[in-house]
Amino acid sequence: MLRIYALAVITGFYGSVASAESHAATEAEQTETPAVMAEDVDLDAAKSIFTRSCRGCHGNKAQGVASYPKLSDKTPEYIVEKLETYRAGERIGPNSVLMIQNAKGLSDLEIASLAVYVTTAFE
């Protein structure tokens, strides 16, 4: 089950990137394989990032606290989309300043790993 979520996140992430870049890319570039594969998702690293950066606001089990939303009921694709938006510096809610600070240093692999971890670790 975890592997399916990981694959969905990676596929969704690279699918959106490929879609956004397809207008400018040549046919040869569009056939390249993504650098991150499902087996590359690092749940131990994601747990560490969650514990250090997310747990304080979103709760021990990503259950949400006060004005910080529940994450454990979201899809991996949703988490990836939001983290990418925050990483880009876009404000999309009242806690954007905090989220931008936490997301700006995350790599694509860390975002994918966090998305899988947060949506599967607390079932």
Side-chain angles (χ1 to χ4, degrees):
M1 175 92 157
L2 180 61
R3 194 174 185 101
I4 292 169
Y5 275 122
L7 186 57
V9 170
I10 300 301
T11 303
F13 173 75
Y14 283 101
S16 67
V17 170
S19 174
E21 295 176 348
S22 66
H23 300 296
T26 65
E27 188 174 312
E29 290 172 327
Q30 292 176 11
T31 60
E32 290 181 18
T33 305
V36 179
M37 302 302 286
E39 57 269 5
D40 292 334
V41 172
D42 188 345
L43 296 180
D44 290 331
K47 181 179 181 180
S48 177
I49 294 168
F50 178 82
T51 300
R52 182 181 68 247
S53 301
C54 311
R55 183 176 66 178
C57 297
H58 292 283
N60 290 333
K61 295 186 176 186
Q63 77 274 14
V65 177
S67 68
Y68 303 99
K70 182 176 185 176
L71 302 175
S72 59
D73 65 343
K74 306 295 189 268
T75 65
E77 295 82 10
Y78 175 88
I79 301 293
V80 167
E81 177 189 341
K82 295 303 179 195
L83 286 173
E84 288 175 344
T85 300
Y86 288 125
R87 181 176 66 181
E90 294 179 42
R91 293 176 180 236
I92 56 174
N95 298 317
S96 291
V97 172
L98 293 170
M99 286 303 304
I100 290 168
Q101 243 353 65
N102 284 299
K104 71 179 179 182
L106 295 175
S107 69
D108 293 343
L109 177 58
E110 288 170 329
I111 287 176
S113 297
L114 268 171
V116 173
Y117 177 77
V118 167
T119 57
T120 60
F122 310 112
E123 294 180 41

